[in-house]
Each structure stands twice: as C-alpha cells, then as structure tokens.
C-alpha cells in the first residue's frame, strides 16, 4: 500500500475515557481525560496529559494528589459533560458522589466501578500540556467487576475514545504474550 504523510500530530489509535478527580480549592472536581496511560510497573504509576489551563491542573498542583476513575459505557453522558464544562465555570462536584481513601485530597467517584488514588510523582512540562505522573497508592473497585483480584474489563465495560467518538470494547481476538509464539522458528 502506498504511504501518505499526514504531518506531525499526537495520534493514538484508541484511548481510554477516564475521569480525573482533584480537589480544587477544597472542592471535588472531575475532568474527562483520554490522554492517559500506564507509566511504570514498580512502583505502579500512571500518567495523564492535562492542559495547563484546566481547573483540574490547579487542583493537582494544590494537593499533589489526583484520582483516575474508570466510567462505564452507561456513563457516557456524565463522562462527556465533565469534558465539555470546566469546574471554573460550573460546579461539577455533584456529578458523582465523592469519597476519599488513603489520600485525603484525591476525590474518588463512587458511581465509577474502578477508582485509582494517585500521589503525584512528577509533572513534566511538555508545552500546552503537563504530563502528570502519579504513583497508584490504592485501587478501589466495585466487587462485581473484579475477577481473580483484578479489575475485569469485560465486567466494567469501559468507554473507548477515538476520533471524537465513544465506543464499547469490542470482541476479544487473541491472547497477549501467547499468540505470537506461533510465529517463532
Ligand atoms: C473525550 C474527552 C477527552 C478529553 N481528554 C483530555 C485530556 O486528556 N487532557 C486534557 O487536558 N483535556 C481533555 N479533555 C478536555 C477537558 O476534559 C475539558 O476541557 C474539561 O472541561 C476540563 O475540566 P476542568 O476545567 O474542570 O478541569 C477531554 C475532553 C473530552 C470530551
């Protein structure tokens, strides 16, 4: 197939849809984020790229803590709302019921089946966005989405984000760290 050049852009095929929780001026705020991933295994770390102008960035900078909350496909409306309205303009504290875990300043959204408490490890200034890297100090999960002690995406049914649209997770098509063995000589 002939290749075409598309110019530089921060493209990823699919991304998660998460809610970043942070206390801003002592009040819980939730912001939708898709630019997030795992950063490290030991210690366990995740990272999320947040535009410097976000209300959420202010809260993370105030407390050095944040949360990542995984919403389900039934929460598309709440998730999208938190991504189109800023806590600087509208109070988003009531969109979810907040609770706190080990970190007393990282609000966790009760209605989301999985909540990660994160202690800020480092923030990297990349330009428009700060990459917040957080150490996961605890994961809270609804009992009914856990299989063998781990969050189970077939039970969570998280929202996949791509191309300004939301998708369900599709069918399993293979087994990781295993299928490739067939190619080995
Ligand atoms: C699907 C989706 C994904 C988004 N991902 C990000 C992201 O990764 N980083 C970011 O800074 N903003 C992202 N946004 C935009 C913020 O969520 C949005 O500006 C929000 O209103 C900020 O809220 P806040 O000002 O209360 O922090 C996303 C929005 C949507 C709808």
């Amino acid at each position: 197939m002939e290749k075409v050049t598309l110019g530089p852009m921060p493209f990823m095929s699919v991304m998660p849809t998460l809610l970043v929780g942070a206390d801003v001026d002592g009040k819980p705020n939730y912001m939708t984020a898709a630019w997030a991933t795992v950063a490290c295994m030991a210690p366990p770390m995740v990272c999320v790229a947040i535009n410097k102008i976000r209300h959420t960035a202010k809260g993370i900078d105030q407390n050095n803590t944040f949360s990542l909350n995984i919403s389900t496909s039934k929460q598309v409306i709440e998730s999208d709302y938190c991504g189109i309205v800023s806590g600087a303009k509208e109070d988003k504290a009531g969109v979810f019921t907040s609770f706190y875990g080990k970190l007393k300043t990282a609000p966790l959204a009760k209605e989301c089946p999985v909540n990660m408490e994160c202690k800020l490890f480092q923030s990297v200034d990349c330009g428009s966005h700060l990459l917040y890297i957080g150490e996961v100090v605890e994961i809270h999960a609804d009992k009914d989405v856990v299989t063998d002690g781990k969050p189970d995406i077939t039970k969570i049914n998280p929202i996949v984000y791509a191309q300004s649209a939301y998708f369900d997770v599709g069918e399993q098509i293979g087994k990781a760290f295993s299928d490739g063995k067939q190619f080995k000589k």
Side-chain angles (χ1 to χ4, degrees):
M1 179 60 71
E2 188 190 343
K3 295 281 185 191
V4 292
T5 51
L6 303 175
M9 56 180 133
F11 177 75
M12 282 288 151
S13 52
V14 290
M15 288 165 266
T17 306
L18 306 170
L19 289 149
V20 185
D23 271 358
V24 190
D25 300 329
K27 200 180 217 190
N29 186 66
Y30 295 97
M31 176 205 114
T32 313
W35 294 6
T37 190
V38 169
C40 187
M41 178 68 178
M45 290 200 196
V46 290
C47 59
V48 56
I50 299 182
N51 194 299
K52 289 173 184 172
I53 65 168
R54 307 282 184 247
H55 201 50
T56 301
K58 188 178 164 190
I60 300 174
D61 293 342
Q62 283 173 356
N63 302 299
N64 291 331
T65 60
F66 64 95
S67 69
L68 293 184
N69 303 271
I70 302 177
S71 53
T72 83
S73 60
K74 291 194 185 104
Q75 293 166 321
V76 164
I77 293 168
E78 294 89 330
S79 299
D80 194 57
Y81 169 75
C82 289
I84 53 179
V85 170
S86 174
K89 294 241 165 77
E90 261 178 54
D91 184 356
K92 294 189 275 183
V95 179
F96 298 101
T97 311
S98 295
F99 70 101
Y100 293 84
K102 289 180 179 162
L103 303 172
K104 301 298 175 203
T105 51
L108 304 159
K110 194 166 186 264
E111 292 81 1
C112 293
V114 179
N115 321 96
M116 282 182 265
E117 292 187 60
C118 305
K119 191 170 75 181
L120 186 65
F121 168 66
Q122 210 171 307
S123 63
V124 182
D125 189 340
C126 300
S128 59
H129 286 59
L130 286 158
L131 184 68
Y132 288 102
I133 306 167
E135 182 177 347
V136 180
V137 300
E138 191 54 277
I139 295 183
H140 305 259
D142 289 358
K143 251 184 180 170
D144 63 355
V145 302
V146 176
T147 306
D148 299 332
K150 287 186 182 150
D152 183 336
I153 65 136
T154 64
K155 294 175 178 168
I156 299 166
N157 204 10
I159 306 165
V160 175
Y161 172 76
Q163 296 173 190
S164 301
Y166 301 114
F167 298 84
D168 268 324
V169 174
E171 293 297 307
Q172 182 175 339
I173 53 152
K175 222 164 178 333
F177 310 107
S178 170
D179 288 352
K181 289 175 191 161
Q182 294 172 43
F183 204 68
K184 276 189 173 174
K185 299 259 158 29

